[in-house]
Amino acid sequence: MSQEVSITHFAPELHIPKGTFQIDFYSKWGAVEHFCFRNEDGSIHVAELDFDGAIFHVHETMRGNALEPKSAMGVTTVIGLFVPDVQKVMDRAITAGAILVNPTTDHDYGYRQGMFQDPFGHFWQIQKKI
């Protein structure tokens, strides 16, 4: 799928372990896969997805100094995703297999936020300004 983008935006690349064959968590959560290139053994090399128009990529870890969360044994980044209904997106993620990190909460600084960890260890902060 080819999309022309008329505004500046981020498209994070989330590293997954080499030899990963399934990324179905993302489609169960509601992301749409644009493409998925596989290696000769059928494992995923790179895939492009979007969640309600927010594009992101998952890519096998190939470079010596690039880590994915499990091999790094910790959080490598937090993906902040602004959505209209934080709780709905959080519920869909948990149902799809995510782990709840922080429940949806309204904060004094004017944000409603919740955080989950996806099956590959990536932290997603789902949020909206209130």
Side-chain angles (χ1 to χ4, degrees):
M1 174 180 203
S2 177
Q3 289 182 324
E4 185 173 326
V5 178
S6 61
I7 59 171
T8 302
H9 67 283
F10 284 100
E13 179 178 287
L14 309 179
H15 290 181
I16 56 176
K18 192 170 179 73
T20 297
F21 290 87
Q22 295 293 326
I23 55 170
D24 58 340
F25 161 77
Y26 299 113
S27 61
K28 289 178 183 174
W29 177 40
V32 175
E33 185 178 291
H34 295 184
F35 63 75
C36 182
F37 292 106
R38 294 184 177 269
N39 299 310
E40 288 182 15
D41 66 357
S43 64
I44 295 167
H45 176 69
V46 63
E48 180 180 274
L49 304 104
D50 82 70
F51 187 86
D52 291 340
I55 295 172
F56 64 100
H57 299 89
V58 294
H59 197 294
E60 71 178 333
T61 302
M62 297 186 63
R63 297 167 283 237
N65 62 353
L67 297 174
E68 41 79 27
K70 290 187 179 183
S71 64
M73 295 186 291
V75 177
T76 55
T77 192
V78 174
I79 300 98
L81 184 64
F82 284 85
V83 300
D85 188 337
V86 173
Q87 190 61 57
K88 178 180 174 184
V89 173
M90 289 291 294
D91 290 345
R92 285 172 43 187
I94 301 306
T95 299
I99 297 168
L100 180 66
V101 175
N102 293 319
T104 301
T105 305
D106 291 347
H107 296 280
D108 292 340
Y109 49 84
Y111 281 74
R112 174 174 293 123
Q113 297 172 313
M115 185 179 291
F116 67 83
Q117 181 181 24
D118 75 23
F120 298 102
H122 301 289
F123 279 48
W124 292 78
Q125 182 156 269
I126 310 304
Q127 55 197 341
K128 74 178 270 181
K129 291 183 179 182
I130 51 175

